Amino acid sequence: MLFRSRVFRLPLRVASITAPCVPAACRGAFGSESARFHEADIALEQAGMSAVLLGTCHRVELIWWGDHDGVGWLSRWLAAHGTSVPLEHIQVLRAERAVRHLMAVTAGLESPRFGEVESQQQVKAAWRRAADAGVVGPELDGVFRKVVEASRQIRSRTHAMHPRPTLGQVASCAALERTETWKTSRIAIVGTGDAAASFAQSLVHLPEPRELMVVGRTPAHVQAFAITHGAQPCAWADLPIILSRADVVLFAIRSDGALALDASVLAAAATLPQGALWVDLGMPPAVDASRLPREIRYLGLSDLHASDRRDPALVARAQDALQDELERYAMELHRRRLGSGM
């Protein structure tokens, strides 16, 4: 520990806001292609910072290199977008603790669904986006390369015997447990992202549904998704009709709040012979569950996470792997400094 604390004298900082302290307006609003992210990259460049802004359903984090006031920048940025977070809700991590945190987050060890693969994808997407925008300096770029590499090693050692399902796979299993007539079901997927794709891929191993539909806001993405997964592409304007007809609906979209659904749509879904099942992966939720008729069965993220019990042995292996990757990185930094004569 003393050796690592001496080696990890890196000017690396992380300002982290995690659920439930993440403002509702931010949850799901910071997708890797979000306009807010691109605006943030421009603002970070203007501030002369080498930094990556990471946003997921459960966290908003600024990772930066140097002595800049990252906490102040993040607070001002959130305030400019109509959200306010008390300073006591922003956790600041430095040097070794920052590296450990980034490795754990990227490997999915800090996720509600322990070990989920989506975390690694989200960190990589944020890093690449910021790098493409020119706001990631060589030192911070090196840290992210090592963090992503370490996360792969941690996941490989931890999940070699127990591969973790994706969120879409968890959703499909939950739907399967509650739907007995897949061969005659109409299944609708609202969204075209990673979770929607893994849900659709899971259906390949099930009895073929009579009808699979996909709807999204971007026609090109919908068309590409439909071709890949053998689905019927539908226009966003047709969403009310689809919801009133589908036996199973997966909501896998980012939004600032619940979709505005007319009462007639809910009433129609409630009268389907098989009973409608809506699975909502949104954060914030895409559906206001309090408005649903009792005939519509609803599963939200909290329901899926509740069924994801952590294996203590799995957690222990993950922590051992994380510790080993930290030691390996410390030795690598030590050799570099010896080689440079520092």
Side-chain angles (χ1 to χ4, degrees), residues 249-319:
V249 181
L250 175 78
F251 294 90
I253 57 172
R254 293 188 176 96
S255 61
D256 292 332
L259 298 172
L261 301 178
D262 191 81
S264 62
V265 173
L266 304 181
T271 60
L272 291 172
Q274 300 179 39
L277 171 64
W278 289 7
V279 183
D280 188 356
L281 305 184
M283 180 60 76
V287 175
D288 182 356
S290 66
R291 293 189 57 225
L292 298 183
R294 60 184 179 183
E295 291 83 3
I296 298 179
R297 294 167 294 165
Y298 176 85
L299 292 175
L301 271 178
S302 59
D303 300 306
L304 299 179
H305 291 156
S307 63
D308 185 43
R309 297 180 177 86
R310 297 190 177 190
D311 179 355
L314 192 69
V315 175
R317 286 204 303 274
Q319 293 300 328

Side-chain angles (χ1 to χ4, degrees), residues 203-243:
L203 301 182
V204 173
H205 306 290
L206 301 174
E208 185 177 352
R210 186 179 69 188
E211 187 174 359
L212 176 62
M213 301 168 284
V214 59
V215 58
R217 296 187 178 95
T218 307
H221 294 173
V222 171
Q223 190 66 37
F225 188 99
I227 293 173
T228 300
H229 301 286
Q232 175 187 343
C234 302
W236 184 254
D238 294 332
L239 181 62
I241 298 174
I242 294 169
L243 296 182

Side-chain angles (χ1 to χ4, degrees), residues 100-272:
R100 172 187 286 273
H101 173 79
L102 286 176
M103 286 184 177
V105 167
T106 308
L109 308 189
E110 299 293 333
S111 301
R113 289 179 51 256
F114 187 78
E116 66 178 8
V117 69
E118 287 88 354
S119 296
Q120 185 181 95
Q121 296 167 347
Q122 290 164 340
V123 171
K124 287 173 63 177
W127 166 36
R128 289 171 177 170
R129 186 211 67 247
D132 289 344
V135 293
V136 179
E139 299 88 356
L140 186 59
D141 187 72
V143 170
F144 270 90
R145 290 183 185 278
K146 186 61 184 180
V147 163
V148 170
E149 176 189 338
S151 73
R152 293 195 187 103
Q153 294 299 322
I154 294 169
R155 289 185 53 80
S156 176
R157 286 181 52 183
T158 305
H159 307 303
M161 301 300 294
H162 301 278
R164 301 295 290 171
T166 65
L167 186 56
Q169 290 170 336
V170 171
S172 68
C173 289
L176 177 62
E177 292 172 357
R178 294 163 175 81
T179 306
E180 299 177 356
T181 54
W182 282 94
K183 287 185 178 181
T184 58
S185 290
R186 295 186 181 96
I187 302 173
I189 300 176
V190 184
T192 58
D194 292 337
S198 62
F199 181 89
Q201 290 165 1
S202 297
L203 301 182
V204 173
H205 306 290
L206 301 174
E208 185 177 352
R210 186 179 69 188
E211 187 174 359
L212 176 62
M213 301 168 284
V214 59
V215 58
R217 296 187 178 95
T218 307
H221 294 173
V222 171
Q223 190 66 37
F225 188 99
I227 293 173
T228 300
H229 301 286
Q232 175 187 343
C234 302
W236 184 254
D238 294 332
L239 181 62
I241 298 174
I242 294 169
L243 296 182
S244 65
R245 299 178 59 232
D247 302 299
V248 178
V249 181
L250 175 78
F251 294 90
I253 57 172
R254 293 188 176 96
S255 61
D256 292 332
L259 298 172
L261 301 178
D262 191 81
S264 62
V265 173
L266 304 181
T271 60
L272 291 172

Side-chain angles (χ1 to χ4, degrees), residues 34-46 73 77 81:
S34 168
R36 293 185 183 182
F37 261 135
H38 294 294
E39 293 172 6
D41 293 335
I42 294 173
L44 288 167
E45 183 180 27
Q46 292 174 343
W73 186 94
W77 173 253
H81 288 83

